[in-house]
Amino acid sequence: MFKKRFVRNTFSVMAAATVALTAVAPSAAAVTQPEPDTELNKENIKQPLSVKSAKKLKDGVRFDLGTHTATISIFAGDLAKVSLLQKGEKERPSRALAKKDWGTPSFKAIDTPLKYIIKTDELIIEVKKDTFGVKFMDKAGNVINEDYMKYGSGYENDKPFVFKKTQKDEAFYGFGEQAGLNLNQRGHEIGMWNTDAYAYNKDTKYLYTSIPFFMGLKNDKAYGILFDNTNRSYFNMAQESDDYYYFYANDGSLTYYFMNGPEISDVLDRYTDLTGKAEKPAAWSLGFHQSKWGYTPEEIVNVAKTYKEKNIPLDTMHFDIDYMDGYRVFTWNKEQDYLGALKQVKDMGLNAIAINDPAVKVDENNITYKEGTEKDYWAKNPDGTNFVGEVWPGDSVFPDFSKPEVRDWWAKKHNTLFDAGIDGIWNDMNEPAVFDGPYHTMPLDVEFGEGANKMKHTEYHNLYGHDEAEATYNAFKLYKDNQRPFVLTRDMYAGTQRYAALWTGDNVSNWEHLQMSIPMNANVGLSGVAFVGNDIGGFAQRPTAELFARWIQVGALLPFARDHYDSDAKSEVKVGQEPWQYGQQVEDISRKYIELRYQLLPYLYNAFVKASENGAPVQQPLVYQFQDDENTYDISDQFMFGDNLMAAPVVEEGQTSRQVYLPKGENWVDYWTGKEYKGGQTITRQADLETMPLFVKKNTITPMREVQQQTDEKPLTNLVLDTYVDREATYTFTEDDGATYDYKDGEFNETIFTVKKKLGKIEFKQEKTVEGYEDSKLASYTLKLNGAAAPRSVKGGSMKYAAAKSLADMNEEAGTYFYDKNTKKLYVHIPVDEDQKVTIK
Ligand code: MIG
C-alpha cells in the first residue's frame, strides 16, 4: 500500500529517536531550514526579450516577444497584472485571488515606434520595445516603478525573474512573516518557503508563512507588488546593489500584480480587494487566550478557574495535541479525560479551541485513515503510492488539500470536534512538517492533484496551509451555520486572511523575540493579515518575571492575544507561564494590561471592522498612518494599536525609561499622565515595570467599556467615549451581535460621533447612520473629555444636564455630568437616544 523511499538524514534519525523515546521534538537548538537557496545566474541573462508586435485586447494588451508572450491586463485604474510566459505555456489558476472578474475599466493603448503606452484614469504604463520592460507612472507622468533594464525580466533556467530599479531612500515593507529586528526590509534577502522553524531567531531566513507581496515607499508614495508564484521564491531587496532589487522563483510562471497607492492604506485596500478581506471576527476570539502544550485535563480546568479566581479576564482555553487518541486527528484521548475538561471549560462559559494537524496516522483502525485511503485522498509518491512520513502519530499520510473533494471531506470530519463543544480550530504543522522527510518536509517530487491540476510538492508546498485553512473554514460553514469561524493557522500564502488568523509559530522566551514581534507583526499587517499574534511570553523555554511583565504589556495589545508555551519535556525550567506564576507584582501587571484590552474591546472590534472593510492592519507600524514623516520609516519598537493609540513598550532588559518618537503633524497625550506633547519630537518616558508608555493621538474618540471577566459576560449598556479634542474628533462606531452573519442582513448599528471644540464651547453630536441591530442593549454614552476645564453648563438641546456629586452618582442617571478637577476630566452621561446636540460651556 505504501513504501518509504527516502533515507533518513542524521537530523531526522535523531529526531525520530527522541520522538520514540520521550515523545518530544528535536532539540531546542535545531532551527530547521530548507535546502540551500537556488541562485539566479545573471550570466545567463544575456539575450533580452524584445517586442515584435502588440495587440490590444478587451482587458489589456498582448505583446509578442518571439519565444514568449507578455500580457498586461488592466484590472482597475490603479491595478494591473503583468505576465510573461513561454509560448504555449499556461498559468495555473491563482489560489491567492479572491476577486477574479474585475470588469476592465476603459483604457487607451497607443503604439509608437519605441514604446507602447497604456493609459488608465490613474496610471500610465509604458512598455519599452527593443528590450521588453515595463514602467509604471502616475497620471502626471511621475515614475512610480520601472524595470531595471540591465537585466529586465524573463526566465533564467526556468526561473522567472524581474529586476526593478530602486533608489537609496526607497523603503520596503510587507513580505508576510519575516524574522529580524527591522521594519524596513531594504537591504534584506528574503525567501519564501514555509518552514517549521522551531525556536527561530532574528537571522532565520525561512519561517512558516509565505506571502510574496511587498510595498515600495519612495518620495512619500507607495505601490505594491504581488508576485503570485507558489514555488520557493526569493526577494533581493537592494541587498546586492542600491540601484536595483529583484525577485525570482525556482520555477513556475512570471506573474505579478502591480497596484498603486500613493497611500499605503490605498495599496492595502487594493491588495485585499484582490486577495480578499478578512471577515469580521467573532468577538470572543478578541478576548484573552491561554494555552500550553502538555496541559493535563486537570490543568486546563484549574488554569481556567484560576483566571476567574484572580479576576484576570479570559475567554478561551486551547487544547493542544494531547487531547487526541495517540495523535490521531479527529479523535479524543481515551485515557485522559480531555472531553471532561472541555465540558467544564464550556460550563464556565469559556470558549475552547482544538489544535488539528494534517498528518493522518497510518492505522487500519483509524477511521480517517480508512476513509481517506478508500477515497484515494493522500499526497502521492511519483510512482503512485501514498507518501508516508513521520509526524506525531508516527507513520502518517497527508491529505491532498489541492483537491476540492478532499477539502470538503476534511471539513466534514470536524464534527468530532464541534459536537464535543469546540469553538475554534488551530491548524498546526501545515508547512507540511515531516520529521523524517528531507529538510523536515516532504520530498519535492511528492505529487498533488490530478490531470492538468497535478502539481509537485515543490510547487504546492507554500499552498498546503492555505488550502487546509480553507477546508477548516468550510467546516464552520458546514456545522456552525451563521456562526463566525475562528481558524488559527501557522502557515499562509497570499490571501489566507480570508480563512484564518496567524500566529507566528515557535518563538522563544527571550528579549530579542519580544523586540522582533513588533516589526514582524507590522509587516504581516502590511501583507493583508490583520489578525496576528505571537505566543505571549515566548513558546520555547521560559521567560523571566521581568520579560513576562514586558511581554504581557505588548501582548495585551496584540490583535490575537494568547499566552502559549512549550511542553515541559523540552524546557530546562519546568515552571508555568500563566500570569500568576511570577509573584504578585507581575500578576497585577498582567491583570492591569489584560483589563485594559477588555476595556478597549469596542475599539478593538471596530478596528477589525475597518480591517474587514479596507484591509487596514490592527497593529500598525507608524509608517502606515504617517508616511509623510520619514522618521517613522524604520521605527520598529513602537506601533499604533488601531487608529488612535500608540504603544511604546519597553522591549529591553533592565530598562526603566525609553525614547519615544511622536510622529509629526499631530499632538500626542500621555495616556497615563494626561501630559500633552507636540508631534515631531523624541521624548524620554519613564517606564518602571508597571508602565508601558502609551500615547493617544489628539482629536480622537476611543470607544471603551467596563472590564468583563470574559467578552460576553455583560451586555454593552454604556459606551465610554474617551475623547481628546482641541479642534474636532469623529468616530464611526459599529455595533452588532459579534457572533453571526446577521449583520449581512443589515442587523447592525452604525453611529458617527462628533466632538467639536471652538470658542470656549464643546459640542457633541451623534448621527445614527444605520439602525438595524435590534438587540442592542446600549442605553447611554459616557462622553469622557480629557484635559477639560470645569464647565459652567451642560445642555442637551435646551435641556440642562444636572451636575452629579460623584462619578458613581453620575453613572446612576443619564442627563448628568461630573467634573473631576484633580484629573481634569469631564464626564457627561448622555442617553443613547439624545437627538440634540450636547453643548458644554
Ligand atoms: O512539533 O502541538 O507551533 O504551538 O504547541 C510541535 C504541539 C507541534 C508546534 C506548534 C506549537 C504546539 C506544538 N506544535
Side-chain angles (χ1 to χ4, degrees):
M1 181 138 264
F2 64 86
K3 65 175 193 228
K4 291 219 172 193
R5 62 191 177 83
F6 44 84
V7 182
R8 290 180 173 175
N9 57 37
T10 332
F11 165 77
S12 17
V13 170
M14 267 172 47
T18 337
V19 167
L21 289 173
T22 59
V24 297
S27 92
V31 184
T32 312
Q33 291 290 276
E35 63 183 336
D37 291 0
T38 308
E39 300 276 322
L40 186 74
N41 189 348
K42 291 206 270 319
E43 291 294 296
N44 293 338
I45 311 173
K46 276 184 201 130
Q47 276 196 315
L49 296 163
S50 59
V51 177
K52 313 269 180 268
S53 67
K55 185 169 190 272
K56 187 177 178 199
L57 314 170
K58 256 203 239 119
D59 60 351
V61 178
R62 192 166 62 217
F63 302 90
D64 184 348
L65 312 179
T67 50
H68 292 73
T69 304
T71 313
I72 297 185
S73 315
I74 307 300
F75 277 38
D78 58 0
L79 173 63
K81 174 185 175 187
V82 179
S83 66
L84 202 165
L85 299 171
Q86 213 141 42
K87 275 196 179 150
E89 252 185 66
K90 269 198 176 160
E91 280 169 333
R92 287 244 189 247
S94 171
R95 303 276 303 126
L97 264 49
K99 180 170 171 179
K100 294 184 175 147
D101 293 326
W102 280 76
T104 306
S106 70
F107 65 94
K108 285 198 193 104
I110 307 148
D111 202 352
T112 76
L114 296 178
K115 57 198 180 195
Y116 200 95
I117 304 159
I118 303 170
K119 282 189 180 176
T120 73
D121 55 352
E122 287 176 62
L123 285 177
I124 302 171
I125 307 170
E126 263 185 28
V127 174
K128 220 167 152 281
K129 286 183 169 177
D130 58 349
T131 305
F132 175 78
V134 191
K135 186 192 272 186
F136 296 95
M137 290 173 285
D138 65 19
K139 56 181 180 217
N142 303 307
V143 178
I144 308 162
N145 176 262
E146 61 182 305
D147 289 359
Y148 181 72
M149 293 313 298
K150 185 168 176 204
Y151 301 114
S153 59
Y155 291 82
E156 186 272 310
N157 258 321
D158 289 338
K159 297 194 288 292
F161 68 87
V162 185
F163 282 76
K164 294 283 188 184
K165 215 167 156 176
T166 182
Q167 61 195 44
K168 270 207 171 78
D169 57 357
E170 183 173 15
F172 300 110
Y173 305 106
F175 304 101
E177 182 185 68
Q178 295 299 324
L181 300 177
N182 300 329
L183 175 67
N184 181 354
Q185 299 295 305
R186 189 181 181 85
H188 290 223
E189 268 187 289
I190 287 159
M192 302 280 173
W193 181 257
N194 293 351
T195 302
D196 177 2
Y198 178 76
Y200 58 97
N201 61 48
K202 68 174 177 23
D203 300 316
T204 306
K205 186 162 178 179
Y206 292 91
L207 297 188
Y208 307 87
T209 280
S210 292
I211 305 181
F213 169 74
F214 66 92
M215 290 180 200
L217 175 64
K218 61 178 181 193
N219 310 327
D220 298 347
K221 294 190 171 70
Y223 63 87
I225 289 180
L226 167 65
F227 180 34
D228 192 8
N229 185 311
T230 64
N231 290 270
R232 181 163 169 181
S233 60
Y234 311 84
F235 297 75
N236 187 302
M237 301 317 286
Q239 179 268 346
E240 199 172 284
S241 156
D242 257 326
D243 299 331
Y244 61 82
Y245 65 87
Y246 60 101
F247 49 89
Y248 67 102
N250 275 355
D251 205 340
S253 56
L254 203 178
T255 304
Y256 71 91
Y257 298 84
F258 174 87
M259 57 215 87
N260 190 28
E263 300 300 319
I264 293 177
S265 53
D266 299 332
V267 176
L268 263 182
D269 196 10
R270 261 295 177 246
Y271 172 70
T272 49
D273 283 340
L274 187 66
T275 60
K277 293 186 158 67
E279 292 173 348
K280 293 187 198 184
W284 64 266
S285 67
L286 304 183
F288 199 70
H289 301 240
Q290 178 65 53
S291 182
K292 178 201 179 178
W293 175 13
Y295 271 150
T296 62
E298 297 71 35
E299 282 169 341
I300 292 181
V301 173
N302 286 337
V303 166
K305 280 189 183 154
T306 309
Y307 268 96
K308 274 210 170 151
E309 276 159 27
K310 293 187 174 287
N311 292 314
I312 301 173
L314 176 77
D315 267 79
T316 304
M317 291 301 297
H318 286 236
F319 286 67
D320 207 323
I321 47 176
D322 323 273
Y323 79 82
M324 292 183 249
D325 173 19
Y327 306 125
R328 290 169 187 82
V329 291
F330 305 118
T331 65
W332 286 91
N333 195 318
K334 290 177 188 135
E335 271 120 54
Q336 287 179 285
D337 194 14
Y338 283 96
L339 273 173
L342 174 61
K343 188 168 179 304
Q344 288 196 58
V345 163
K346 299 288 294 187
D347 287 348
M348 286 164 78
L350 296 171
N351 294 286
I353 289 178
I355 201 169
N356 195 31
D357 290 350
V360 174
K361 186 178 177 67
V362 173
D363 165 6
E364 289 302 333
N365 299 318
N366 176 9
I367 176 85
T368 306
Y369 173 73
K370 264 185 74 179
E371 281 175 24
T373 306
E374 274 158 23
K375 292 175 171 146
D376 203 15
Y377 281 170
W378 313 127
K380 294 204 176 314
N381 293 311
D383 65 4
T385 56
N386 294 328
F387 166 74
V388 174
E390 181 150 347
V391 201
W392 291 111
D395 278 348
S396 305
V397 286
F398 297 79
D400 178 355
F401 291 122
S402 78
K403 297 178 176 166
E405 64 271 26
V406 177
R407 296 201 291 273
D408 288 348
W409 169 71
W410 194 255
K412 279 195 197 108
K413 299 300 296 173
H414 283 74
N415 59 342
T416 327
L417 302 174
F418 290 149
D419 289 351
I422 288 294
D423 301 284
I425 305 288
W426 166 21
N427 285 345
D428 190 19
M429 308 297 277
N430 45 357
E431 292 73 31
V434 181
F435 294 158
D436 59 350
Y439 299 100
H440 203 69
T441 190
M442 298 172 179
L444 297 181
D445 60 1
V446 166
E447 288 174 352
F448 297 86
E450 270 164 350
N453 295 323
K454 194 180 249 184
M455 276 178 274
K456 296 263 186 224
H457 176 219
T458 180
E459 182 180 357
Y460 188 58
H461 179 83
N462 286 341
L463 274 176
Y464 196 79
H466 174 90
D467 280 349
E468 187 200 22
E470 187 192 319
T472 308
Y473 172 89
N474 287 336
F476 287 81
K477 305 276 149 196
L478 213 57
Y479 293 116
K480 290 182 183 282
D481 184 35
N482 202 29
Q483 292 297 307
R484 300 184 204 172
F486 179 77
V487 180
L488 181 65
T489 182
R490 195 162 77 170
D491 289 77
M492 286 192 163
Y493 182 67
T496 316
Q497 71 270 7
R498 308 197 288 269
Y499 312 120
L502 179 76
W503 103 100
T504 61
D506 298 341
N507 61 352
V508 186
S509 305
N510 62 36
W511 291 90
E512 179 183 287
H513 261 275
L514 175 57
Q515 287 157 31
M516 178 156 65
S517 68
I518 298 173
M520 180 181 282
N521 295 352
N523 278 315
V524 168
L526 292 183
S527 307
V529 183
F531 212 166
V532 59
N534 330 89
D535 289 348
I536 295 169
F539 178 73
Q541 300 165 29
R542 300 286 194 267
T544 60
E546 183 195 358
L547 177 58
F548 187 84
R550 292 309 191 185
W551 210 314
I552 199 80
Q553 293 171 352
V554 175
L557 300 188
L558 288 173
F560 170 63
R562 179 182 69 164
D563 177 345
H564 176 51
Y565 62 108
D566 205 348
S567 145
D568 288 341
K570 286 194 279 167
S571 181
E572 287 157 40
V573 218
K574 302 179 198 320
V575 293
Q577 195 169 298
E578 295 77 23
W580 51 85
Q581 304 281 5
Y582 308 91
Q584 196 58 47
Q585 189 195 12
V586 175
E587 181 183 322
D588 293 344
I589 290 170
S590 302
R591 184 181 303 99
K592 171 178 167 183
Y593 285 91
I594 297 174
E595 283 185 348
L596 176 64
R597 178 184 186 84
Y598 276 69
Q599 286 180 294
L600 285 167
L601 279 173
Y603 170 72
L604 178 58
Y605 182 70
N606 273 267
F608 273 95
V609 170
K610 290 194 179 117
S612 74
E613 288 164 358
N614 60 22
V618 171
Q619 182 177 356
Q620 308 165 354
L622 269 42
V623 68
Y624 177 77
Q625 277 192 55
F626 303 100
Q627 76 184 60
D628 296 341
D629 181 352
E630 283 183 22
N631 298 324
T632 65
Y633 283 18
D634 202 13
I635 292 187
S636 305
D637 59 356
Q638 297 176 213
F639 60 91
M640 295 295 297
F641 179 63
D643 291 339
N644 304 349
L645 300 176
M646 181 176 69
V650 169
V651 291
E652 279 174 49
E653 187 170 12
Q655 250 191 13
T656 51
S657 85
R658 61 158 289 170
Q659 307 277 95
V660 180
Y661 180 69
L662 304 167
K664 276 179 206 162
E666 300 287 351
N667 286 348
W668 298 87
V669 184
D670 189 309
Y671 181 80
W672 306 112
T673 66
K675 188 169 173 195
E676 188 167 333
Y677 299 90
K678 268 211 150 38
Q681 56 166 330
T682 300
I683 60 161
T684 302
R685 175 62 163 95
Q686 295 310 307
D688 55 25
L689 196 61
E690 273 81 16
T691 309
M692 176 191 59
L694 186 64
F695 296 84
V696 188
K697 196 171 78 183
K698 197 79 194 265
N699 292 306
T700 57
I701 302 171
T702 302
M704 297 175 75
R705 63 166 299 168
E706 70 193 310
V707 174
Q708 308 170 86
Q709 183 56 34
Q710 60 201 56
T711 52
D712 55 357
E713 189 193 18
K714 299 168 188 161
L716 176 66
T717 53
N718 177 262
L719 186 69
V720 177
L721 301 171
D722 196 23
T723 303
Y724 294 79
V725 67
D726 56 20
R727 297 187 309 272
E728 183 173 336
T730 67
Y731 190 88
T732 304
F733 176 73
T734 299
E735 192 196 10
D736 58 26
D737 64 18
T740 73
Y741 287 104
D742 291 352
Y743 69 87
K744 291 196 172 170
D745 303 324
E747 292 189 27
F748 66 100
N749 289 342
E750 188 187 87
T751 311
I752 303 173
F753 302 112
T754 307
V755 180
K756 265 189 206 161
K757 185 172 181 179
K758 55 179 181 199
L759 303 168
K761 169 169 106 177
I762 295 173
E763 278 177 4
F764 164 88
K765 77 168 200 267
Q766 61 167 329
E767 191 191 337
K768 295 185 169 159
T769 42
V770 181
E771 289 182 88
Y773 181 45
E774 283 174 13
D775 294 336
S776 175
K777 303 282 183 296
L778 197 54
S780 65
Y781 309 120
T782 298
L783 175 64
K784 180 176 171 189
L785 290 159
N786 296 278
R792 281 179 289 118
S793 85
V794 177
K795 282 183 191 167
S798 58
M799 286 280 296
K800 271 194 119 184
Y801 277 34
K805 289 207 181 62
S806 66
L807 200 54
D809 283 357
M810 185 209 72
N811 283 336
E812 287 298 306
E813 206 181 324
T816 62
Y817 69 92
F818 174 72
Y819 182 68
D820 184 336
K821 60 177 187 300
N822 295 322
T823 59
K824 291 206 167 61
K825 292 182 199 292
L826 172 63
Y827 302 83
V828 184
H829 194 178
I830 302 169
V832 77
D833 53 7
E834 176 68 81
D835 48 17
Q836 304 284 313
K837 263 186 197 155
V838 176
T839 310
I840 299 149
K841 279 188 188 149

